[in-house]
Amino acid sequence: MEYDIVIGLEVHAELKTNSKVFCSCKNQFGSAPNTNCCPVCIGLPGALPVLNKKAVELVIKAGLAIGGEINEEAIFERKNYFYPDLSKAYQISQLVKPICVGGHLKVGNREVQINRIHLEEDAGKLTHSGESGLTMVDYNRGGVPLMELVTEPDIHSAEEAVEFLTNLRSILVFADVAECKMEQGGMRCDVNVSIKPKGSEKLGNRTEMKNLNSFKSVERAIKYEVERQAEVLDKGGVVTQETRKWDDDAGISYAMRKKETSQDYRYFPDPDLLSVHISREKVAEIKKTLPLMPHELKEKYIAEFGLTEYEADIITREKKTIAYFEEASSICNQPKQVSNWLLTDVLAKAKESDGEILLSAKELGLLIKLIADGKVNRAVAKEIFAKVWAGEGDVQSLAQKLGGSVDEGQLAGMIDDVIAQNPKAVADYHASEEKDKLIKWFVGQVMKVSRGKANPTQAEQLIKQKLN
Amino acid sequence: MEKIDIAEVKRLASLSALEFDEKSLEKFVGDFENILNMVGEIQKCDTSKVEIKRACHDFDELRDDEAKEGISQEEVLLNSPKSRKGCFAVPQMLEE
Amino acid sequence: MEYNTLSLLEHVDLVKTGKVTSEELTKYYISKCKEMEKYNAVLEIFDDATSNAKAMDEKIKNGFKGALAGIPVIIKDNILYKGKKCTCSSKFLENYVAQYNATVVEKLLDAGAIIIGRANMDEFAMGSSTENSAFGVTHNAVNFDCVAGGSSGGSAVAVAGGMCPLSLGTDTGGSVRQPCAINGIVGIKPTYGRVSRYGVIAFASSLEQVGPMTKTVKDNAYALQVLAGHSKFDETSSNREVPSYIEEIEKPIAGLKICVLKEVEEAVKGLDTEKSYRNTKQILSSLGAEIVEMSMPDFSLSLPCYYVIAPAEATSNLGRFDGIKYSRRSENAKNVDEIYTKSRTEGFGDEVKRRIMLGNFVLSSGFFDAYYNKAKAVQQKLKDSAKEIFEKCDAILLPTTAGGAFKIGAKTDPVSMYKEDLFTIIANILGVPAITLPAGKTEDNMPLGVQILGREFDEATVYRIANAIEGERRKA
């Protein structure tokens, strides 16, 4: 039988703040265990949460970036359950009035509908150490601000899910909301999957897979789950509504031991926190700080700068490439040239150095400006590029050394020499019908003599004058 | 009048991470029903026109995002019943 | 000299004028605590109290002028004082050592107070008699066979029994006022948000406040001045300016409008408290205050309303006592689930367990709307009717308790114990300030109190009225 696939995502991203969401401890990855901690985030008796303004601001930003609506009043609730990574035995989260409701994100030619984005605190980290027979609890991550974005069940393939996540990630990174470092757990995803006979209105039973931490595993887990559910239905069975664990190494998922249905989180408003009033003026103010999003920039680059779809796509894929492109362009005012250099030279070269770009955007802008102003030609420019990349100087001083130092007097002298030394060529020139072709030969000779420092356009003009 | 049965009390005990032996369970059920009867008085109150107002503060009054040193690892673990390598330690949990 | 016959303000004066040193006072009160040991009011006398007092004497010599410079103070055992044990009178926290200072402790220390010990209480502040302590019952300061009241019973008996001139309690449903009343002293529950709760082990976060307990109204105003104010560690603490409570305390109360509730006028009939309540009404009239009878039809619902909201918050607040991070972990636990259930089952007393269960009942799905949300709506309705009253009146007069201290062990049924707080809970539900002060005695010669409730953040008027009543009673 053929099935329609219905997927909903719950995406967690750690927000890019200095301090945690309810205390002033450092929001920092990789510290020694329990060293970014205080009475609040380790849940000591008597400690009270105090909300971080920046965390709220970042969720508002994320909400605006996906076209969501910002609630005028945001309420924080406690989600109660026992687990060793949860120091207070409740997680502060949002249920009734999250910061953002609604929104959508473009995937292919379609808008995937978003249900909400809310702010909550991350849990600590558990390490299961086999040898000691212990599980170790580190609360450094406890209280790190997390945004949770929940989509509507509006995604219809594993590929679409991955594209959604890719686009979301680039928006969050670009808006400076989150770094989304998957390998550090900075972005994690829960996936709900159900299938139904093609065309059917009735949703099937769904299963949930928690904490998938790479796009690849999201894709594989969904594909596996769709196949598994189809097999069940094909055999006339019923899909069990359950939480499953994805085993990335084995490439399979299996039902978790504990039935989620028994969970009753007993949400209620956290009496330690006031609700937050977010004025419309504040929302407008934050909106102004929101940069153009990658997809908007892409359109702009194609329309205004004449970049190809391919070029614009590559540049807008990464935040740092956009920044590089923007800065270099602002210096030389030649975005198309910047794009050429960036795609052919800079990024190619960067691959040799672990993705690191060893020539600043400012230097590239300057170099392109020198070419445009006729101060150096392309050949010299490439030489300068290579030297700067290798750390052998900067564009300005190299340009002075290698190019641009041939003034009009020197150039005239060189041309005179070339003409004097090549009488046959001069005669050929005068006899020829294809003067333009032969003049190029002279230009080439001048370039050779000047060791590439002469401006070829300027040289051509002067040679013409002298020969005629 | 709210009636409570043993099964319900056991469900609450599980949510509460508490255990009761059979004997104390019975006394508990009796006390609990009395309390619920007292508490149930609120059901009689007409609150249809009540609009709940919550204490609220403005976005601008929230804490600025400045990171500060917390307490040392040693202080964190001061009252810990069991710790190891800077972490709180519990018997190994099955990875789920 | 028997310092414990003097007021707090007299102590302050003696230290300030060099007539007594902090060390002398501290040693004196420590010896009083020891003499009164059998009352079981104080769980621990801090061994560094005397040396801290000595150091304070040096500071005073060098010109230090804190409001409580050198004054011995006892705190309820749910207030964190760094490096000292804090047990909430629970076996669960038997060996818990505070890892930081509560804001009120910081304020006391900044003012120069010497914190000499911690006082017994009902476990996790759940109770009205201090019989629910894991470390034994506290005895009433006036009659040893009677309860101290609670939950701040130890703190009340410490002041009433002359073991310190000032103690701190916490009041979630009457836990400062009820023990003060039945031991014959003065105590206030400030406006919700007037005093920071940071570092006070939470029972019901939206209802409780720390309050000073003293022998006189003026002493109390003086002490609250030290404790009040915003803390950046507590969102629910108000950043409203703290007025001077002493400045206008002597101002006559003639012309003030004082509300008596129709429902309470009915309810006190035949109670032990009736005489002192009516007597106070007369005192107020004689001082020129206008008594205005108004109605708060749902007054009696404050009790059930409280027994939904407080347990709901408590069950969540006490979740952190899970055996993972601090103090008790059951030795019988073989895995994490057993750490939770066994540590908690062994560590908590019956009343605490009852409230945790009750809280989970009212929060669990299927009951949440009918209980928790309903109680919040009833609370709002009560607040709305209080607003009407305070538009017309400056204060409300209420009895503090129905009767005097009862015999230890006399109340075994939870609901009858809960009803001890019939007249005090309303102030917590409304969030308004409420003071209790002595107002007479029962036929058995046990102290009784009356309460003055004021508008939000109008502790000044509450103190002024209480001070006027106290003055009249002293004359009589």
Side-chain angles (χ1 to χ4, degrees):
Chain A
M1 188 148 38
E2 285 215 55
Y3 296 101
D4 284 331
I5 303 167
V6 181
I7 301 165
L9 299 176
E10 288 165 25
V11 190
H12 288 96
E14 286 181 347
L15 300 174
K16 200 175 155 188
T17 57
N18 298 319
S19 64
K20 293 185 179 181
V21 58
F22 295 116
C23 64
S24 297
C25 287
K26 275 180 272 180
N27 172 7
Q28 195 176 64
F29 181 82
S31 307
N34 293 309
T35 53
N36 298 334
C37 291
C38 76
V40 178
C41 55
I42 62 170
L44 289 188
L48 299 170
V50 180
L51 181 58
N52 181 343
K53 189 196 290 178
K54 180 81 179 203
V56 177
E57 185 187 326
L58 293 180
V59 176
I60 295 174
K61 264 180 137 177
L64 292 171
I66 53 119
E69 197 176 310
I70 306 305
N71 266 327
E72 202 149 352
E73 188 194 19
I75 297 178
F76 289 87
E77 274 111 344
R78 293 183 181 180
K79 179 182 182 181
N80 297 285
Y81 63 97
F82 288 102
Y83 207 68
D85 63 4
L86 198 60
S87 64
K88 305 183 294 298
Y90 60 82
Q91 179 194 31
I92 305 176
S93 182
Q94 298 192 279
L95 182 70
V96 177
K97 281 196 174 174
I99 294 173
C100 168
V101 285
H104 44 78
L105 189 66
K106 207 166 177 191
V107 171
N109 298 318
R110 226 166 55 75
E111 301 275 14
V112 168
Q113 296 305 308
I114 290 163
N115 176 283
R116 53 146 61 205
I117 308 179
H118 68 247
L119 175 59
E120 61 184 29
E121 54 181 341
D122 208 344
K125 204 169 153 259
L126 301 183
T127 315
H128 309 282
S129 129
E131 47 181 314
S132 61
L134 294 172
T135 288
M136 324 272 260
V137 191
D138 169 13
Y139 289 118
N140 280 345
R141 198 180 65 180
V144 163
L146 272 188
M147 58 162 261
E148 179 176 342
L149 178 148
V150 182
T151 74
E152 297 294 348
D154 191 27
I155 294 169
H156 303 295
S157 71
E159 290 78 11
E160 226 178 45
V162 170
E163 195 181 338
F164 179 92
L165 291 170
T166 311
N167 293 353
L168 175 65
R169 181 178 165 203
S170 90
I171 285 178
L172 295 180
V173 171
F174 200 68
D176 242 353
V177 167
E179 292 185 291
C180 298
K181 291 184 179 159
M182 310 284 290
E183 68 284 1
Q184 296 179 1
M187 188 180 191
R188 312 188 288 269
C189 189
D190 302 346
V191 183
N192 295 304
V193 180
S194 70
I195 60 172
K196 57 183 168 87
K198 219 166 185 65
S200 159
E201 289 292 312
K202 199 173 165 281
L203 283 174
N205 278 348
R206 65 187 171 86
T207 59
E208 184 178 8
M209 278 165 294
K210 281 185 179 292
N211 273 333
L212 299 166
N213 53 10
S214 79
F215 292 172
K216 195 78 214 158
S217 48
V218 168
E219 187 175 353
R220 291 174 66 207
I222 292 174
K223 284 188 169 157
Y224 176 87
E225 187 55 20
V226 167
E227 249 174 68
R228 191 190 67 84
Q229 291 189 12
E231 244 171 71
V232 172
L233 294 188
D234 283 343
K235 284 183 193 151
V238 179
V239 173
T240 317
Q241 192 132 341
E242 65 192 357
T243 301
R244 300 177 66 85
K245 162 95 183 170
W246 171 251
D247 181 337
D248 209 38
D249 294 329
I252 57 163
S253 69
Y254 48 87
M256 305 229 305
R257 285 182 311 131
K258 268 193 188 159
K259 291 275 173 279
E260 285 286 305
T261 45
S262 63
Q263 284 287 20
D264 180 351
Y265 291 123
R266 293 151 288 145
Y267 278 96
F268 75 106
D270 191 330
D272 292 331
L273 290 161
L274 307 183
S275 63
V276 182
H277 175 253
I278 306 166
S279 71
R280 301 301 89 182
E281 293 74 32
K282 184 50 71 179
V283 174
E285 199 180 296
I286 292 170
K287 196 165 192 168
K288 274 190 209 144
T289 68
L290 208 62
L292 281 181
M293 287 300 125
H295 63 280
E296 294 167 316
L297 281 175
K298 189 174 156 186
E299 282 162 26
K300 176 182 154 186
Y301 292 169
I302 295 169
E304 292 179 24
F305 299 161
L307 267 57
T308 64
E309 166 104 29
Y310 170 77
E311 291 170 329
D313 185 58
I314 300 237
I315 291 171
T316 55
R317 233 181 251 172
E318 294 265 359
K319 187 180 171 178
K320 63 173 190 182
T321 333
I322 294 172
Y324 192 95
F325 173 77
E326 291 272 342
E327 192 186 347
S329 300
S330 76
I331 287 166
C332 64
N333 211 12
Q334 305 265 331
K336 180 74 186 174
Q337 286 304 316
V338 173
S339 165
N340 288 343
W341 278 84
L342 188 54
L343 266 59
T344 49
D345 300 274
V346 178
L347 294 181
K349 199 91 173 144
K351 273 189 194 149
E352 297 166 17
S353 49
D354 281 338
E356 218 182 314
I357 294 177
L358 301 175
L359 178 110
S360 72
K362 200 175 146 207
E363 295 269 73
L364 182 69
L366 202 59
L367 190 59
I368 294 171
K369 192 169 188 297
L370 288 174
I371 302 171
D373 293 348
K375 299 266 171 62
V376 297
N377 65 29
R378 279 196 73 80
V380 176
K382 294 254 173 188
E383 198 181 334
I384 294 174
F385 178 89
K387 282 193 188 300
V388 175
W389 195 284
E392 294 166 14
D394 59 81
V395 168
Q396 196 63 264
S397 55
L398 282 167
Q400 258 160 29
K401 208 162 36 166
L402 299 176
S405 57
V406 180
D407 62 25
E408 247 192 90
Q410 288 173 308
L411 184 62
M414 289 176 191
I415 291 170
D416 288 342
D417 288 349
V418 169
I419 290 174
Q421 284 158 19
N422 296 287
K424 182 164 180 309
V426 174
D428 286 351
Y429 175 82
H430 286 300
S432 172
E433 295 290 309
E434 292 175 283
K435 287 194 168 54
D436 277 356
K437 240 186 195 169
L438 281 165
I439 202 115
K440 295 281 184 220
W441 183 85
F442 283 99
V443 174
Q445 293 305 304
V446 172
M447 293 311 287
K448 211 185 263 174
V449 173
S450 72
R451 294 179 51 218
K453 289 180 188 177
N455 179 334
T457 323
Q458 201 186 3
E460 188 174 324
Q461 270 174 359
L462 256 178
I463 294 166
K464 267 188 196 162
Q465 275 175 28
K466 297 219 182 243
L467 288 175
N468 295 337
Chain B
M1 180 169 154
E2 201 69 58
K3 270 286 170 198
I4 225 84
D5 58 19
I6 299 268
E8 174 65 6
V9 173
K10 283 187 173 160
R11 185 185 75 89
L12 295 175
S14 154
L15 282 174
S16 307
L18 291 172
E19 285 173 330
F20 295 90
D21 56 42
E22 291 301 321
K23 211 177 118 212
S24 58
L25 210 55
E26 263 170 53
K27 169 159 174 17
F28 196 91
V29 170
D31 284 344
F32 211 71
E33 277 179 354
N34 285 340
I35 296 168
L36 286 182
N37 277 334
M38 183 271 284
V39 160
E41 287 293 309
I42 56 170
Q43 315 294 355
K44 295 178 193 156
C45 182
D46 177 13
T47 52
S48 55
K49 292 196 190 79
V50 172
E51 197 189 316
I52 294 180
K53 297 173 198 85
R54 277 188 56 84
C56 193
H57 56 172
D58 197 75
F59 174 87
D60 286 322
E61 292 174 69
L62 300 179
R63 170 173 62 84
D64 287 325
D65 181 30
E66 283 162 23
K68 296 197 178 94
E69 282 301 322
I71 59 178
S72 68
Q73 188 189 67
E74 196 188 353
E75 284 174 289
V76 167
L77 299 172
L78 182 72
N79 287 291
S80 156
K82 191 178 178 79
S83 65
R84 198 185 172 102
K85 291 181 181 165
C87 292
F88 297 95
V90 295
Q92 182 157 13
M93 301 172 73
L94 291 172
E95 263 185 281
E96 290 201 284
Chain C
M1 183 178 182
E2 286 298 337
Y3 297 108
N4 66 6
T5 58
L6 304 175
S7 72
L8 169 65
L9 284 167
E10 285 166 323
H11 283 78
V12 170
D13 205 50
L14 286 179
V15 176
K16 206 188 276 174
T17 53
K19 294 198 178 96
V20 66
T21 63
S22 177
E23 186 185 353
E24 284 167 312
L25 274 184
T26 301
K27 283 182 170 162
Y28 170 82
Y29 279 111
I30 288 174
S31 77
K32 285 289 156 194
C33 288
K34 287 181 178 155
E35 265 173 44
M36 303 283 284
E37 206 173 348
K38 65 170 187 172
Y39 283 81
N40 198 30
V42 182
L43 292 173
E44 182 188 354
I45 296 164
F46 299 136
D47 52 16
D48 59 355
T50 311
S51 62
N52 287 341
K54 268 189 211 167
M56 183 49 61
D57 283 325
E58 273 307 301
K59 267 182 93 175
I60 294 168
K61 242 187 257 166
N62 293 324
F64 176 76
K65 286 192 168 52
L68 294 173
I71 304 296
V73 177
I74 287 174
I75 57 176
K76 188 176 179 179
D77 200 24
N78 58 353
I79 300 172
L80 300 175
Y81 180 12
K82 190 174 175 179
K84 304 281 189 280
K85 270 192 194 176
C86 186
T87 71
C88 270
S89 288
S90 177
K91 255 201 292 187
F92 196 100
L93 291 175
E94 198 166 1
N95 298 309
Y96 181 74
V97 176
Q99 283 138 295
Y100 66 102
N101 278 335
T103 304
V104 287
V105 164
E106 291 278 341
K107 288 191 179 238
L108 284 179
L109 297 176
D110 286 350
I114 308 300
I115 303 176
I116 62 168
R118 52 191 177 89
N120 200 11
M121 57 187 277
D122 282 302
E123 185 181 5
F124 285 103
M126 296 172 186
S128 308
S129 64
T130 314
E131 291 170 295
N132 292 337
S133 166
F135 308 116
V137 181
T138 296
H139 297 260
N140 190 284
V142 180
N143 181 340
F144 192 80
D145 296 332
C146 290
V147 297
S151 63
S152 314
S155 300
V157 172
V159 171
M163 293 171 250
C164 60
L166 165 66
S167 68
L168 300 192
T170 61
D171 189 315
T172 313
S175 283
V176 162
R177 290 161 289 153
Q178 184 256 16
C180 279
I182 64 176
N183 285 286
I185 60 168
V186 178
I188 194 168
K189 182 209 78 85
T191 308
Y192 184 74
R194 185 68 295 175
V195 178
S196 166
R197 295 181 294 113
Y198 186 72
V200 179
I201 300 182
F203 158 24
S205 314
S206 76
L207 302 169
E208 64 207 10
Q209 280 287 292
V210 173
M213 299 156 93
T214 55
K215 284 209 169 120
T216 74
V217 173
K218 240 186 250 173
D219 284 353
N220 206 277
Y222 185 81
L224 182 61
Q225 199 80 50
V226 171
L227 305 174
H230 177 67
S231 157
K232 61 181 178 177
F233 297 113
D234 179 0
E235 279 197 2
T236 65
S237 71
S238 170
N239 44 25
R240 254 188 227 229
E241 208 184 316
V242 181
S244 165
Y245 296 134
I246 293 283
E247 207 171 276
E248 297 197 333
I249 202 164
E250 300 285 5
K251 216 168 135 188
I253 61 162
L256 288 184
K257 287 189 175 136
I258 292 164
C259 164
V260 292
L261 296 175
K262 198 175 120 219
E263 294 74 18
V264 172
E265 293 284 312
E266 280 300 310
V268 293
K269 276 182 189 156
L271 296 180
D272 285 351
T273 200
E274 184 176 7
K275 205 174 128 201
S276 55
Y277 169 74
R278 302 218 188 276
N279 186 28
T280 308
K281 232 164 85 176
Q282 263 173 1
I283 291 176
L284 288 168
S285 290
S286 73
L287 291 168
E290 186 186 336
I291 305 291
V292 184
E293 188 173 303
M294 292 185 77
S295 172
M296 191 185 274
D298 299 309
F299 179 83
S300 66
L301 292 183
S302 59
L303 185 73
C305 184
Y306 174 89
Y307 276 98
V308 173
I309 296 170
E313 293 178 7
T315 196
S316 176
N317 284 334
L318 268 58
R320 67 185 64 198
F321 302 109
D322 60 4
I324 307 281
K325 305 160 302 275
Y326 29 79
S327 297
R328 174 169 284 271
R329 179 180 292 184
S330 170
E331 285 168 8
N332 306 315
K334 290 186 287 292
N335 55 44
V336 169
D337 282 341
E338 287 187 3
I339 288 181
Y340 295 145
T341 48
K342 293 202 188 304
S343 307
R344 290 163 63 83
T345 301
E346 293 164 14
F348 292 149
D350 284 347
E351 184 57 28
V352 173
K353 287 177 186 164
R354 211 163 9 242
R355 304 233 191 158
I356 290 173
M357 296 281 280
L358 182 57
N360 275 326
F361 176 80
V362 300
L363 287 179
S364 59
S365 64
F367 300 104
F368 184 72
D369 281 329
Y371 287 91
Y372 182 83
N373 275 342
K374 184 71 182 181
K376 291 302 276 186
V378 172
Q379 178 183 32
Q380 185 66 54
K381 202 176 175 194
L382 285 163
K383 282 184 175 185
D384 292 345
S385 61
K387 195 172 168 236
E388 277 177 37
I389 290 171
F390 283 121
E391 270 163 16
K392 293 206 182 90
C393 298
D394 301 288
I396 302 173
L397 173 70
L398 288 177
T400 309
T401 58
F406 51 88
K407 288 269 159 48
I408 290 169
K411 290 198 182 184
T412 48
D413 161 44
V415 173
S416 76
M417 184 68 89
Y418 296 172
K419 287 187 174 161
E420 265 298 295
D421 294 332
L422 201 61
F423 297 115
T424 48
I425 275 174
I426 187 71
N428 303 80
I429 291 291
L430 299 177
V432 300
I435 195 169
T436 180
L437 72 152
K441 297 226 162 117
T442 64
E443 283 178 4
D444 301 333
N445 219 24
M446 291 303 289
L448 288 166
V450 286
Q451 297 181 84
I452 302 294
L453 279 61
R455 297 184 181 100
E456 277 193 338
F457 298 101
D458 193 12
E459 280 81 359
T461 302
V462 167
Y463 278 129
R464 191 174 135 202
I465 297 167
N467 188 57
I469 299 169
E470 186 185 71
E472 279 305 293
R473 284 183 45 80
R474 221 170 262 154
K475 279 186 215 159

